[in-house]
Amino acid sequence: MNLVEEESESKRDHINDIVLSEDVQRAIEQVLQSSDPLDQPDFNPTDYINQLFPNEQSLSNIDEVISKMEYDISLIDDNIRSVVRGQVNTGENGRVALKEAQQSLTQLFSLITDIKSRAEKTEDMVKEITRDIKQLDSAKNNLTYAITTLNHLHMLVGGVENLKQLSERRQYGEVLNPLQAIIEVNQHFQQYSEISQIQTLSAQVQQIQSELATQITDDFKNFFSPTAHSNTNRMTITQLKDACLVASVLDKLVKKNILKWFINLQLQEYIQLFHENQDIAWLDKIDKRYAWVKRHLLDFEEKYGTVFPADWEVSERITVQFCTITREELSKIMARRRQEIDVKLLLFAIQKTSNFEQLLDKRFNGTTLVEATSEEVRKERDSFSNLIGSCFKPYLDIYTDSISRDLTALVEQFAQQNQQMVVPKEINPGIIPNCADLFVFYKKCMVQCMQLSNEKPMYDLVLIFKKHLRDYASKVLEARIPKPQPPNSTSSTISSSMSLLTKDFQNLSTAAGQVIHNFLKEGETPRFSAEDTRKICYILATAEYCLETVQQLEDKLKEKIDKNYITKVDLADEKDVYHRIISNCIQLLVHDLDAACEQSLLLMTKIAWHSISNVGDQSGFVNQIITNLKQTVPVIRDNLANSRKYYTQFCHKFVNSFIPKYINTLYRLRPTSTGSSSASGSAALVASASSSSISESAGGSSAASGNILGCEQLLLDTHSLKTVLMDLPSIGSQVQRKPPASYTKVVVKGMAKAEMIIKVVMQPVHPASLYIEQYLKLLPESSVVEFHKILEMKNVRKVEQQQLVEAYKRACPAQQQQQQQQQQQQGSNSSATSASGEHVGNSSQAPESAPTATSTGNHQSQQMAAAAAAISGAGSSIMALGDSLMDKGRIKKIENLIKNRLPN
């Protein structure tokens, strides 16, 4: 049996090893088009069986499936047998077909050979027929070439003599056409230069060209020379025009020399008139230079505009030469008189020059610029821009120095205006106006400098911009950030304090805490006034505007400046300065709001939590925190309406600062007490005063049966604070916005920890193993230090603390692994937060004693006496003054308070 299985296994492995190529697979799919999973190339038996039997119930029809499979197998076997039988005669048929194909190929080869031989015979016959025709055609071509050469030779011989006569008589109009023909013919005979006659004729042609060049040059000089009017051999305008056409046909150097001489002649007057020693040559009269050349060009075109051919561009050449001379002369005179150049004079000269160059660009097409100037001067073709103005570039530091002085004065002016800075009365004041003025000035300077140069002067301007951006930040923005002012020394009147006490006798301990807070105001941290808060927001919004505009300025500078300086343009340091101002403003606002809440947290530590006798509404310190938030946050939000992201950042930083402080304050409290809390009257005061010592029960447990109403009140207050902090971004606003998810996560996580700490404090410490297990479940990320602080909150004795800490250390490693697995399964901490209130309700213990109706009068009298004692003590702790008329510690009451209480 084993041998059969091994053989079957080997066969199966062999089948599985068969791998078909992609081409074969595609061919099979084209022939056998099937959707049966068994026919697929990636067939997987396991997947197929799982598809047939997806569950145990489907195994009931296994017999039917087996029957169908057996039927399919038998059908395939029949098909295979029929195919095999059909292939018996296939081999013989193939051999017969192959033999017939070979015979056909032999016949085809013989036919091709016959056709090839016939084609060769045909080609020989055609060559024989066309041999005479080719000879005749070659003779015709040779004869035609010979006749053409003789005609050219005749033209050359006759034309040379004719040209000599015409040139001697200065008949340039009749010289032009023969001259062009002779030059072309002479070029044709260059291949026969070894023939002596041809050499002689070519030399004569060259001599005629040289004589014409000399003669035309002399004629030009005679015509335009100062003594031309008295010269009897002076040519006419028509002859001069024809001479220009002849010069165009001659060598290019002839035309170039004529133009050079003529242009220098035209500008002699200008050179003498505007010599550097003349007063008219200085920059303040630079416009007279351009006026002169305009008049001269008009006069030239009126007199001789029709003489020179249009392609000579004489007017443009005169202008280009004028620009070159002007640039050189201005460079020399500015180098000699540099001390006399001020920015006003420099900008005047640059502006007049720029206007003149723009006029030239409109008047001329610039075709002569490249050949007339060097590449150092002209980097672009067809533009007169900076053809003269380049001489001013070495002196643009005068302009940039002036810009620096102007910006220094402007920033100083802004700083002086800022000393009396008043924030506009509207809710969203926007930005400081002089900030926009600064960047408008920047834009004007950048546009002006771009017209002058986009190279080093533009980079110097970038450095100036950087310096004054920092100066504006320090002298205008940072200098006007308000400093916290100490609160006004207001005397707390007894009447206002008494109103807090008599407002609600059912929550007397909270009112008494408010009285203590009034006495502690003298030691308050300095705070900002509402006007200072608005001013900080005003500066923050301005810094944000500067930050965004500096980024745009950097992009624009990189776009405009020369490519060699792009990598040097970097305003990152300046953006960091404004980032720092924004961060500083946010930090000041957070610190101010923190300072407002610190007094409330201090009041929280003054309350005798261990003697709380009634879980009522939220405590007074919570109301104070809510009041401070409602007074401060809406002002910040309204003044940062256009800086929403920084307002959100302010909220983030505040909760990140406040929640740890709140948790640290919780660690300082002692919210539990031992024994029953049903004592009333003066006995309650005594009990609260001695509650710092822990009494042991018969079983040795601490605070197991003590008063935990303080924890319940703290839990309620913590939930109230969490609700307020969740709505902090929209507090006091008619439009409620959902806070960002990141902000909500911070609040939920932080306040959930505070709730868990209170819940852990409410738990009995015995048995220790159960307490530590519950502790690690509720505070999985806690440390030994926090564990010790919580034991202090529970007033556990030092000896028991040491024992519990050792047990905690032993339980931590194993517990941490379990907590890591649990944290991976938890989606967020919100579920733990929502469960904390329910757990607290289950773990709270309801006292069995309740106050009677007959003790109400005495109870109120004791409250009044305690209030008077608190006022006269000026800061002494006011304890809870008896039992409340309401049921204490009931689970239902805590749940209702947590669910129904909403922030005011």
Side-chain angles (χ1 to χ4, degrees):
M1 188 66 181
N2 292 334
L3 295 174
V4 174
E5 291 178 353
E6 291 178 358
E7 183 179 358
S8 175
E9 187 68 25
S10 63
K11 290 180 179 180
R12 185 159 52 252
D13 294 341
H14 177 69
I15 293 174
N16 292 336
D17 291 337
I18 296 176
V19 178
L20 300 178
S21 64
E22 294 182 359
D23 296 337
V24 175
Q25 190 64 44
R26 284 196 296 267
I28 293 174
E29 291 176 356
Q30 291 177 358
V31 176
L32 302 175
Q33 298 180 358
S34 174
S35 60
D36 193 342
L38 294 172
D39 295 332
Q40 301 303 317
D42 56 349
F43 172 73
N44 190 324
T46 303
D47 293 341
Y48 183 68
I49 293 173
N50 290 333
Q51 184 179 359
L52 292 177
F53 306 105
N55 48 46
E56 295 180 0
Q57 290 76 8
S58 60
L59 294 174
S60 59
N61 61 345
I62 189 171
D63 294 334
E64 297 178 2
V65 175
I66 292 174
S67 300
K68 184 177 180 301
M69 290 294 180
E70 291 176 349
Y71 173 75
D72 292 341
I73 291 172
S74 62
L75 184 61
I76 292 172
D77 290 339
D78 293 341
N79 291 335
I80 291 173
R81 281 193 295 271
S82 62
V83 170
V84 170
R85 291 169 182 170
Q87 293 296 321
V88 173
N89 297 326
T90 301
E92 184 63 26
N93 294 336
R95 285 190 292 273
V96 173
L98 179 61
K99 186 175 181 180
E100 293 176 353
Q102 290 175 348
Q103 292 176 356
S104 300
L105 288 174
T106 303
Q107 294 176 359
L108 180 61
F109 181 76
S110 61
L111 289 174
I112 292 173
T113 304
D114 184 45
I115 292 172
K116 183 178 179 181
S117 61
R118 291 182 180 181
E120 291 175 351
K121 293 178 180 180
T122 303
E123 183 179 3
D124 293 337
M125 291 175 62
V126 171
K127 287 181 179 180
E128 186 67 24
I129 294 172
T130 59
R131 181 180 293 112
D132 296 337
I133 297 175
K134 287 183 178 181
Q135 291 178 353
L136 292 175
D137 187 60
S138 177
K140 177 185 175 183
N141 291 336
N142 293 334
L143 182 61
T144 303
Y145 186 75
I147 294 172
T148 303
T149 303
L150 288 175
N151 287 333
H152 286 168
L153 183 60
H154 177 72
M155 290 174 59
L156 184 61
V157 173
V160 168
E161 296 297 330
N162 188 26
L163 278 177
K164 287 182 180 180
Q165 299 175 3
L166 293 175
S167 60
E168 290 175 356
R169 295 194 298 267
R170 287 181 169 79
Q171 296 178 351
Y172 298 121
E174 299 179 7
V175 167
L176 180 61
N177 291 331
L179 179 62
Q180 289 177 330
I182 287 175
I183 291 175
E184 293 178 0
V185 169
N186 189 40
Q187 292 293 332
H188 174 73
F189 281 105
Q190 291 302 316
Q191 55 184 325
Y192 306 112
S193 58
E194 67 276 3
I195 302 174
S196 59
Q197 291 82 355
I198 299 299
Q199 290 180 355
T200 303
L201 290 174
S202 296
Q204 292 177 357
V205 172
Q206 294 293 333
Q207 183 179 0
I208 291 173
Q209 289 179 336
S210 177
E211 291 176 353
L212 280 173
T214 303
Q215 183 175 308
I216 290 174
T217 302
D218 292 339
D219 290 341
F220 263 92
K221 291 181 179 180
N222 291 333
F223 184 86
F224 291 104
S225 64
T227 59
H229 298 286
S230 61
N231 192 349
T232 56
N233 295 327
R234 185 170 180 264
M235 290 194 306
T236 64
I237 295 294
T238 303
Q239 286 179 315
L240 194 64
K241 184 177 181 180
D242 293 337
C244 291
L245 297 175
V246 173
S248 298
V249 176
L250 297 174
D251 188 69
K252 293 181 178 180
L253 187 61
V254 177
K255 170 185 170 183
K256 183 177 180 180
N257 291 333
I258 292 174
L259 287 174
K260 182 179 179 181
W261 173 85
F262 180 75
I263 292 171
N264 290 333
L265 178 66
Q266 297 297 310
L267 294 176
Q268 279 182 357
E269 179 185 354
Y270 170 74
I271 295 174
Q272 295 175 359
L273 185 62
F274 291 91
H275 190 270
E276 59 178 319
N277 294 328
Q278 303 294 328
D279 293 338
I280 198 174
W282 187 230
L283 298 180
D284 58 345
K285 298 181 179 61
I286 195 172
D287 52 334
K288 296 185 180 298
R289 294 175 178 266
Y290 308 136
W292 181 90
V293 75
K294 292 177 186 177
R295 291 194 304 270
H296 187 77
L297 287 176
L298 290 175
D299 183 59
F300 164 76
E301 290 179 355
E302 181 180 355
K303 291 181 178 180
Y304 307 115
T306 59
V307 172
F308 297 94
D311 61 330
W312 281 30
E313 299 287 353
V314 179
S315 296
E316 181 176 327
R317 293 177 186 275
I318 293 174
T319 304
V320 172
Q321 184 65 17
F322 165 82
C323 293
T324 304
I325 295 173
T326 303
R327 182 180 68 250
E328 294 172 353
E329 292 296 322
L330 289 176
S331 297
K332 290 190 293 185
I333 194 171
M334 283 192 295
R336 186 165 57 88
R337 304 172 62 178
R338 182 183 178 93
Q339 300 299 328
E340 302 178 29
I341 303 175
D342 57 17
V343 65
K344 184 177 180 181
L345 180 62
L346 180 65
L347 291 179
F348 169 78
I350 293 175
Q351 185 62 43
K352 292 296 182 180
T353 303
S354 177
N355 294 339
F356 177 69
E357 290 171 345
Q358 292 176 8
L359 178 64
L360 297 183
D361 278 328
K362 296 177 181 178
R363 171 63 179 81
F364 302 111
N365 54 24
T367 55
T368 65
L369 285 173
V370 174
E371 59 184 88
T373 59
S374 62
E375 187 175 356
E376 295 180 357
V377 179
R378 299 299 312 136
K379 293 185 178 180
E380 296 180 359
R381 182 187 175 95
D382 304 340
S383 175
F384 284 85
S385 177
N386 284 329
L387 187 57
I388 301 175
S390 59
C391 67
F392 299 111
K393 289 183 178 181
Y395 306 93
L396 288 179
D397 58 324
I398 299 174
Y399 166 75
T400 54
D401 291 343
S402 173
I403 293 298
S404 180
R405 291 192 297 270
D406 292 343
L407 277 173
T408 300
L410 188 64
V411 172
E412 291 296 335
Q413 178 185 348
F414 291 162
Q416 293 177 3
Q417 294 174 355
N418 213 38
Q419 292 178 359
Q420 296 84 24
M421 183 179 69
V422 178
V423 183
K425 298 299 183 182
E426 56 265 21
I427 293 179
N428 185 15
I431 63 172
I432 300 176
N434 56 34
C435 175
D437 296 340
L438 176 68
F439 285 104
V440 168
F441 187 81
Y442 272 22
K443 181 180 178 181
K444 291 180 179 178
C445 294
M446 184 174 64
V447 172
Q448 191 176 45
C449 187
M450 184 63 194
Q451 296 174 350
L452 304 179
S453 173
N454 68 335
E455 297 176 353
K456 188 177 184 302
M458 179 70 82
Y459 178 67
D460 294 338
L461 192 65
V462 172
L463 299 180
I464 294 172
F465 284 174
K466 288 166 64 69
K467 175 182 180 298
H468 290 92
L469 282 173
R470 294 192 295 269
D471 289 345
Y472 183 84
S474 60
K475 296 180 180 180
V476 179
L477 297 184
E478 290 181 333
R480 302 312 303 161
I481 295 178
K483 303 298 186 294
Q485 300 296 329
N488 296 328
S489 56
T490 58
S491 59
S492 301
T493 61
I494 297 178
S495 59
S496 61
S497 302
M498 286 299 297
S499 64
L500 291 173
L501 289 174
T502 58
K503 187 176 180 180
D504 188 0
F505 284 104
Q506 293 183 353
N507 196 11
L508 186 57
S509 61
T510 303
Q514 181 66 34
V515 175
I516 295 172
H517 174 65
N518 292 335
F519 285 105
L520 292 174
K521 271 191 174 181
E522 294 182 358
E524 271 189 358
T525 305
R527 290 204 58 202
F528 293 118
S529 63
E531 183 65 21
D532 288 342
T533 301
R534 297 183 72 241
K535 187 177 291 187
I536 292 174
C537 296
Y538 196 35
I539 294 173
L540 190 152
T542 304
E544 180 189 14
Y545 170 80
C546 291
L547 181 63
E548 295 174 353
T549 311
V550 167
Q551 180 60 53
Q552 297 173 5
L553 177 65
E554 182 180 7
D555 296 338
K556 185 60 69 174
L557 287 171
K558 288 182 177 180
E559 176 185 342
K560 298 297 184 182
I561 202 168
D562 185 79
K563 60 182 180 180
N564 296 325
Y565 293 91
I566 290 178
T567 57
K568 297 181 180 180
V569 177
D570 184 10
L571 303 183
D573 294 339
E574 288 66 39
K575 288 184 284 187
D576 290 342
V577 170
Y578 289 102
H579 270 300
R580 186 181 69 246
I581 293 175
I582 293 172
S583 178
N584 187 24
C585 290
I586 294 174
Q587 193 61 40
L588 287 175
L589 295 174
V590 171
H591 180 73
D592 180 65
L593 192 54
D594 266 345
C597 297
E598 280 181 1
Q599 297 300 319
S600 302
L601 296 179
L602 180 61
L603 174 60
M604 181 180 173
T605 62
K606 302 298 181 181
I607 299 175
W609 296 98
H610 55 275
S611 60
I612 291 292
S613 59
N614 175 37
V615 180
D617 201 355
Q618 60 195 23
S619 300
F621 79 92
V622 178
N623 293 329
Q624 290 180 9
I625 292 175
I626 295 174
T627 301
N628 287 323
L629 294 179
K630 286 186 175 181
Q631 289 176 350
T632 306
V633 175
V635 176
I636 298 173
R637 181 181 60 245
D638 293 341
N639 285 272
L640 294 180
N642 294 333
S643 304
R644 188 71 187 177
K645 62 179 180 180
Y646 293 116
Y647 171 68
T648 304
Q649 187 175 343
F650 157 77
C651 295
H652 269 278
K653 288 190 174 183
F654 171 71
V655 295
N656 279 323
S657 173
F658 173 76
I659 293 177
K661 289 183 179 179
Y662 180 73
I663 292 176
N664 289 333
T665 305
L666 284 179
Y667 286 139
R668 297 168 58 190
L669 305 182
R670 303 294 180 265
T672 61
S673 66
T674 60
S676 175
S677 61
S678 61
S680 61
S682 59
L685 292 173
V686 176
S688 62
S690 61
S691 61
S692 59
S693 62
I694 302 175
S695 61
E696 298 184 15
S697 62
S701 64
S702 300
S705 60
N707 181 14
I708 60 172
L709 294 180
C711 293
E712 295 174 356
Q713 182 66 45
L714 275 175
L715 190 62
L716 176 63
D717 295 338
T718 302
H719 180 78
S720 301
L721 281 177
K722 182 179 74 172
T723 305
V724 172
L725 293 178
M726 289 289 288
D727 298 334
L728 180 66
S730 300
I731 191 170
S733 175
Q734 296 179 354
V735 180
Q736 296 295 320
R737 291 186 178 181
K738 186 178 180 181
S742 58
Y743 173 82
T744 304
K745 183 178 180 181
V746 172
V747 175
V748 169
K749 183 177 180 181
M751 297 307 291
K753 182 176 180 180
E755 291 178 342
M756 293 302 175
I757 290 172
I758 300 171
K759 174 183 171 183
V760 170
V761 174
M762 296 174 70
Q763 300 294 322
V765 296
H766 292 283
S769 59
L770 179 61
Y771 178 75
I772 292 174
E773 180 182 354
Q774 292 295 324
Y775 179 90
L776 292 174
K777 286 182 180 179
L778 298 178
L779 294 172
E781 299 179 357
S782 181
S783 63
V784 176
V785 177
E786 290 182 342
F787 183 72
H788 187 269
K789 290 180 180 180
I790 290 174
L791 295 180
E792 290 288 343
M793 291 178 66
K794 292 180 65 63
N795 287 321
V796 179
R797 293 185 307 169
K798 297 295 183 181
V799 177
E800 292 187 11
Q801 285 187 24
Q802 188 63 30
Q803 295 174 355
L804 289 170
V805 169
E806 294 297 331
Y808 172 78
K809 291 180 178 179
R810 291 192 299 270
C812 267
Q815 198 70 18
Q816 286 177 353
Q817 296 179 359
Q818 297 178 4
Q819 293 301 330
Q820 289 176 358
Q821 296 175 359
Q822 292 178 2
Q823 289 175 0
Q824 294 175 357
Q825 297 175 357
Q826 291 176 349
S828 65
N829 292 332
S830 59
S831 60
T833 305
S834 61
S836 63
E838 184 177 342
H839 190 86
V840 169
N842 294 332
S843 61
S844 62
Q845 298 178 358
E848 297 179 357
S849 61
T852 61
T854 57
S855 62
T856 305
N858 294 332
H859 178 57
Q860 293 178 353
S861 299
Q862 293 168 357
Q863 288 176 331
M864 293 297 295
I871 295 173
S872 61
S876 62
S877 299
I878 297 180
M879 307 303 180
L881 303 177
D883 297 331
S884 174
L885 296 176
M886 304 173 67
D887 189 9
K888 304 185 297 295
R890 294 290 184 184
I891 297 174
K892 183 176 181 180
K893 180 169 180 62
I894 294 177
E895 292 178 349
N896 291 334
L897 288 172
I898 292 177
K899 292 178 181 178
N900 298 331
R901 197 211 56 75
L902 294 173
N904 295 330

